[in-house]
Every structure is written in structure tokens, then in C-alpha cells.
Amino acid sequence: VKPRVTIAPHVADWARDAIIGGGGEVVDADDHPDGLIWAQLRAAAQLRDFLGTHPDIGWVQLPFAGVEDVVAEGLIDHRRQWTSAKGAYAEPVAEHALMLALACLRRLTRRARASTWGEPAGETLYDQPVTIVGAGGITSSLLSLLLPFRAPVTVVRQHPEPVAGAVRTLGVDQLHEGLRGARVVVLALALTPKTRGLISGDELRTMGPESYLVNVGRGALVDTDALVTALTSNTIAGAALDVTDPEPLPTGHALWALDNCLITPHTADTEEMIWPLLARRVRENVRRMAAGEALEGLVDPDLGY
Amino acid sequence: VKPRVTIAPHVADWARDAIIGGGGEVVDADDHPDGLIWAQLRAAAQLRDFLGTHPDIGWVQLPFAGVEDVVAEGLIDHRRQWTSAKGAYAEPVAEHALMLALACLRRLTRRARASTWGEPAGETLYDQPVTIVGAGGITSSLLSLLLPFRAPVTVVRQHPEPVAGAVRTLGVDQLHEGLRGARVVVLALALTPKTRGLISGDELRTMGPESYLVNVGRGALVDTDALVTALTSNTIAGAALDVTDPEPLPTGHALWALDNCLITPHTADTEEMIWPLLARRVRENVRRMAAGEALEGLVDPDLGY
């Protein structure tokens, strides 16, 4: 069977090539497609309208890894198959997380802002304990990047099934045990009602004054006010954030002025990086659909990711 | 035989422990020691005076990896054995080089200086061609760190004996071939009369507008004025320097103001990082001396490193 797939809200060459490359056929939205490639970032309301007028589409491929906006629109249910980009962008995001961790340890915010030579400062990542919260593709790629640093890695996840390459895997109910003694804590998990505000005052105090927080997940995993307090009072050593709450972080926000904080504007995976990786996911899923295999990146409507 | 080793210009506990741990004996400077552990950074003139009054010392262990200041004092000859820390600090320096490369690709100087959200920008290091000039310990450690990024690495070195892990090894006479097409060029070689000014206007033009320069070797490997011109005119995309010429870089120097340049004040290996690593080198060399084996980190008086 040749899967009949449409592309919306606008045709994209990479998607067309990927559908054909996976053994599918590109069809018009009104021509009863089996699947939809949604080729637009941050447009959940527009997607809701599209599916309202094309209700018989059985599979939707989303272009983002975190699907909380689509969940909030009430779209994700068991009526159709939903696949996200989860895992597909893991490598550039893990790379960004490693850079942010190194930038924290080596005081890069201060150095980038300096206009004079300074005193030596900085710590190495070699042999340092690292804790990663979340156990998806980013964690798996980050474990590979950390391997040559001999960093003993603790993974904290929903269900404490051991993660290959980690020295220990803890359940999320043991979060504080995972945070204690970590030199760097990396947040690489989905935002759900359960994980919102996961890192607040108590968790930051458990991390302690020699510990750095790196967030490449979602801004609202962290209580921003608590983080500002912790950074100002040196409750933790520093933070590096690719995602913030609110996002975009408003001009004039207290975090911008802190020299133990580094902010990148949600650029762990830029569009230049993601389209080729998404094309791979689309091609593979079209191939799997043709072969009757389970799709890659399936969203669980009950878990919300 | 128990090597009799002294420590100067002042006794350091780590050196004492390392000498004893290696099977040696700590003796007074006036008690005809076999070897000297020089436990002071940047004090070549003081070392010259010390050796003037203790001429029969047969082995000197230096605490730095780059020995050009001691060479300039005319101290390094075939009369005694000289060992440096070369290779011993490779890991933290390679780590710093990786961080600087990632910081270039992801525009960290601009982001650290920003006080508003910005447009997405940045490139990944995955699968990008990297050229490392130099083939010592830093290069070897950096190759390990680059392995999970699948970066095809070219090594340029004095004698083009192939380096394990590099996709090609070129002689220094093929420098331009090594620079062409590299996304990141890392300088990790010794400063000698031959390598001074190795990277000047021609080399920067060969690198081109999509290429970044990372220097963790010595500042004078690069013609600073040519670098300022190249960064100002976007002849290359950017630079990250842990070493500068002059060093320290004076307040008000043009490099401080450029937002495609990142400067760290020679902190790839801070003292906190190096003393434990140097202790390992001392312990090993005392052990080798006792066993009659060749010392580690031997300086070649003819090459000057």
C-alpha cells in the first residue's frame, strides 16, 4: 500500500521529498489523505482548524518534540495516530546542553561580558557527577557526549527502568536524591501537568551552592521566581537556560542582569538544524506505514508526550 | 635506587607526596639532589638563578606544558634532562577547546551580552569538518571528545605521521589545505620560532567566512592585528581565544569589543585543575627514574618543546 499523505499549512519541498523517499504519494488535503505532515512550528490553533475541516485524517506528524500546545488544544486523543519529532532533534539539543554545562563551569557569561583580563576561575567537567532529568533521546545523546568526560551520570525518570550508560537511574519520587551532590543538573524532559514547576526552591536548595542548572526542556519545568532568588543568593552556583517561563523572556527581566546566568533564545535546535532531521523522521514513518509497522515518535494521549 | 629529589622555589605538599609516592626521597636543595621539581608557574629567571647555584642537578621537572620562557632563558640544553607537563593537562585544555568551538558555532558572545530575546541563530558541530593544528596530548584528548560528534578531523603537524582518529594528517607545509573548508580550526601546538605568526592574513582568508578559529596554544601563534582585521571584515566567522598576544590582553584592545570574539584569560587549565595532574606526572617520573626507564614529557632541546 502506498500511503497517501498531504502537507499543510503550506507545501514544503523537504516534506514532499521525504514522503516520496519513504514510498508514499503526496496528495491534496481535500483528496482524503491517510496522513498529514504539519510543516509549521507553533501553530496549534491553525492545526485544530485544519483537522476540523479534514476530520478523516488518520495520522498526524507534528514537527516539534514537545507537544504541550497541541495537548492544550485538546487535539491529541485515541481517534487518530499522532507522531511528534521527539528524539529526532536529540543530537543538537544534547550538544547545546553540553555547551551550556561547560559554559557554566567555566564562567562564560562573566567572560563574554568582560572587557579586561581577569583572574583564573573555572572547573572541569571531567569526572564530575551529572544528573539528567528525563530519559528520552536527548538524554541518550547526552550520555554519548559525556562518555569521554568519564562523568558519572544519574538519570531521574518517570519509571526507574535503568538507562544504559548511567551509573544509576532513579524514579522521579527520588528526585532530591538525584539532585544532591550533582555538579550539573540537566532538565531534558517533557512539560506535563505533573512536571510543571518540578524545580522550585526546595530542589534548588538540595542542589546547593556548587551546582549548576541547565534547562533544555521547557521553561515551566522551573519556578522562575525561585530560580532568580537562588541565583541572587548563591543558593546554586549558576544556571544556563535555553527555555524560559515566560518565553520569550521579557526585556528587563531580572535573569538578564545576572552574571551567573546564561540565556539562549530557544536555539538548541534551530530551524536550519531541524528540517533535515524531521525529513528523516517523515521518510521513516511513511516507510513504516507502507510496511504496516508501528510509527516512530508516537505520542501517548494519556501521558501527553 | 631511590631517586633523591628536591622541590623549589618553595616546598609544596603535593610534590612531596608525589615524590614519596613514586618511590623517591625528598632532600634539601643543598644536599646534592638528582632531580628538581620546579613548583612555580612563570618564573624562568628565578629558575636560572637556582640552577646557577645548584649546577649538578641532572633532571628538572617543569610545571608547565609550554616551555618557551625557559628556552628563552637559554636553560634547556643536553647537559641535563628536562621534562615538562606536556600532555599532562591535555584533558582540561581539550575540554576548553571544545567549549570554545561550541560557543563560536552557537554565538555565545552575543547571547551572553544580550538583554533581550533574540532571533534563532547557530550551527551544530555534528558532522562538521574540524582541523586541529598540533598533534600532542591536547589533540589526542580533543579527538576523543569529538568522536561522538562524528566530526571528520584533519590534523596538521610538523611531521605528517598519521594520527589515530583523524580522517587525514597533513604536514605543516600543507597548512592551507588543512584550513580550507574547516568549520572550526583549533590551534593546539607549541610556540617556537617556526610557529610564531603561523596564522596571519593569508591563512585567515583561506579559512573563509564560515570558519571559526579557536586558540588554546599560545597567543603569538596568531598575528593579532590580522585577526582583528579578519573579524571586523567577516573574513572569518569568529574566534575564541584562551591565549592572546600580547597577554594579558590590554584593557581597551579592539578584540574586547567584537561580538564575534570570545576571550578567556588563559584559564583552559586553572591551577586547581593542574596541580593534581602535575602530581601524577611527578610521581610517574620519579618511578621511572627509580626503574631506569625513559622519563615522560621529555623536552627536546633541539625542537624547543
Side-chain angles (χ1 to χ4, degrees):
Chain A
V1 203
K2 207 167 182 148
R4 303 174 67 258
V5 184
T6 193
I7 307 164
H10 46 72
V11 173
D13 284 344
W14 64 262
R16 177 178 290 279
D17 293 347
I19 291 165
I20 295 166
E25 184 185 349
V26 180
V27 301
D28 198 77
D30 297 322
D31 197 15
H32 302 285
D34 304 313
L36 162 67
I37 309 303
W38 188 247
Q40 179 77 42
L41 298 177
R42 300 178 199 85
Q46 202 179 347
L47 174 59
R48 183 198 56 216
D49 295 344
F50 182 90
L51 289 175
T53 53
H54 302 84
D56 55 345
I57 288 176
W59 161 52
V60 179
Q61 171 70 56
L62 297 168
F64 18 79
V67 301
E68 69 278 6
D69 291 348
V70 183
V71 170
E73 287 288 344
L75 289 176
I76 295 188
D77 58 24
H78 292 275
R79 285 181 48 222
R80 49 172 69 91
Q81 293 199 89
W82 291 85
T83 54
S84 74
K86 65 181 172 185
Y89 311 149
E91 289 190 343
V93 178
E95 169 186 2
H96 201 78
L98 175 69
M99 180 197 64
L100 294 178
L102 294 170
C104 282
L105 288 164
R106 302 233 178 206
R107 320 284 198 275
L108 265 208
T109 300
R110 275 169 211 148
R111 292 319 311 164
R113 292 175 183 176
S115 54
T116 59
W117 204 252
E119 287 306 304
E123 298 140 64
T124 178
L125 181 61
Y126 276 92
D127 303 305
Q128 301 273 14
V130 172
T131 292
I132 310 174
V133 188
I138 297 167
T139 297
S140 159
S141 293
L142 186 52
L143 279 162
S144 299
L145 298 183
L146 289 173
L147 194 64
F149 288 101
R150 300 182 301 266
V153 177
T154 296
V155 172
V156 179
R157 65 185 301 187
Q158 188 85 18
H159 304 290
E161 194 189 326
V163 170
V167 295
R168 58 176 180 164
T169 306
L170 303 175
V172 76
D173 55 316
Q174 296 167 287
L175 175 63
H176 280 259
E177 191 180 332
L179 299 177
R180 199 168 290 120
R183 181 54 57 101
V184 178
V185 173
V186 179
L187 304 182
L189 68 160
L191 179 65
T192 70
K194 280 185 186 171
T195 63
R196 184 173 291 273
L198 186 76
I199 303 294
S200 187
D202 276 354
E203 289 71 29
L204 295 164
R205 278 186 290 278
T206 298
M207 286 174 59
E210 298 198 322
S211 186
Y212 294 91
L213 180 68
V214 171
N215 191 359
V216 291
R218 283 290 183 266
L221 295 167
V222 179
D223 177 332
T224 302
D225 291 342
L227 179 62
V228 170
T229 304
L231 290 172
T232 309
S233 59
N234 299 309
T235 302
I236 64 169
L241 314 171
D242 189 51
V243 287
T244 59
D245 178 39
E247 186 175 312
L249 192 70
T251 305
H253 193 283
L255 285 175
W256 290 115
L258 295 173
D259 68 1
N260 57 351
C261 186
L262 177 63
I263 297 158
T264 54
H266 207 139
T267 51
D269 44 354
T270 65
E271 295 207 28
E272 290 84 347
M273 297 176 201
I274 69 174
W275 297 126
L277 297 171
L278 184 61
R280 251 190 255 171
R281 165 75 38 107
V282 167
R283 186 190 167 106
E284 174 64 11
N285 272 342
V286 171
R287 189 198 64 74
R288 289 186 181 204
M289 176 159 280
E293 298 172 15
L295 301 183
E296 193 175 45
L298 272 172
V299 177
D300 181 327
D302 302 321
L303 292 174
Y305 65 89
Chain B
V1 203
K2 208 167 181 146
R4 303 173 67 259
V5 183
T6 194
I7 307 163
H10 47 71
V11 173
D13 284 344
W14 64 262
R16 177 178 289 279
D17 294 347
I19 291 165
I20 295 166
E25 184 184 350
V26 180
V27 301
D28 198 77
D30 297 324
D31 197 14
H32 303 284
D34 304 313
L36 162 67
I37 309 303
W38 188 248
Q40 179 77 42
L41 299 176
R42 301 177 198 86
Q46 202 179 347
L47 174 60
R48 184 199 56 214
D49 296 344
F50 182 91
L51 290 174
T53 53
H54 302 85
D56 55 346
I57 288 176
W59 162 52
V60 180
Q61 171 70 56
L62 296 168
F64 17 79
V67 300
E68 69 277 7
D69 291 349
V70 183
V71 171
E73 287 288 345
L75 289 176
I76 295 188
D77 58 23
H78 293 275
R79 286 181 48 223
R80 50 173 69 91
Q81 293 198 89
W82 292 85
T83 54
S84 74
K86 65 181 173 186
Y89 311 148
E91 289 189 343
V93 179
E95 169 186 2
H96 201 77
L98 176 67
M99 179 198 64
L100 294 178
L102 293 170
C104 282
L105 288 164
R106 301 229 179 212
R107 320 283 199 275
L108 265 207
T109 300
R110 274 169 213 150
R111 292 319 309 165
R113 291 176 182 175
S115 54
T116 58
W117 204 253
E119 287 307 302
E123 299 139 64
T124 178
L125 181 61
Y126 276 91
D127 303 305
Q128 300 273 13
V130 173
T131 293
I132 310 175
V133 188
I138 297 167
T139 297
S140 160
S141 292
L142 186 52
L143 279 162
S144 299
L145 298 182
L146 290 172
L147 194 63
F149 289 100
R150 300 183 301 265
V153 177
T154 296
V155 172
V156 179
R157 65 184 300 186
Q158 188 84 21
H159 304 290
E161 193 189 325
V163 170
V167 296
R168 59 176 180 165
T169 306
L170 303 174
V172 76
D173 55 316
Q174 296 168 287
L175 175 63
H176 280 258
E177 190 179 333
L179 299 177
R180 199 168 290 120
R183 181 55 55 103
V184 178
V185 173
V186 179
L187 305 181
L189 69 160
L191 179 66
T192 70
K194 280 185 186 170
T195 63
R196 184 173 292 272
L198 186 76
I199 302 294
S200 188
D202 276 354
E203 289 71 29
L204 295 164
R205 278 186 290 277
T206 299
M207 286 173 58
E210 298 198 321
S211 186
Y212 293 92
L213 180 68
V214 171
N215 191 357
V216 291
R218 283 290 183 266
L221 296 167
V222 179
D223 177 332
T224 302
D225 291 342
L227 180 62
V228 171
T229 304
L231 291 172
T232 310
S233 60
N234 298 309
T235 303
I236 65 169
L241 314 171
D242 189 51
V243 288
T244 59
D245 178 38
E247 186 174 312
L249 193 70
T251 305
H253 193 283
L255 284 175
W256 290 116
L258 295 173
D259 69 2
N260 57 351
C261 186
L262 177 62
I263 297 158
T264 55
H266 206 138
T267 51
D269 44 355
T270 65
E271 294 208 28
E272 289 84 347
M273 297 176 200
I274 70 174
W275 297 125
L277 297 171
L278 184 61
R280 250 189 256 171
R281 165 76 37 107
V282 167
R283 186 189 167 107
E284 173 65 12
N285 272 343
V286 171
R287 189 197 66 72
R288 290 186 181 203
M289 177 160 278
E293 299 173 14
L295 301 184
E296 193 175 47
L298 273 172
V299 177
D300 181 327
D302 301 321
L303 292 174
Y305 64 89

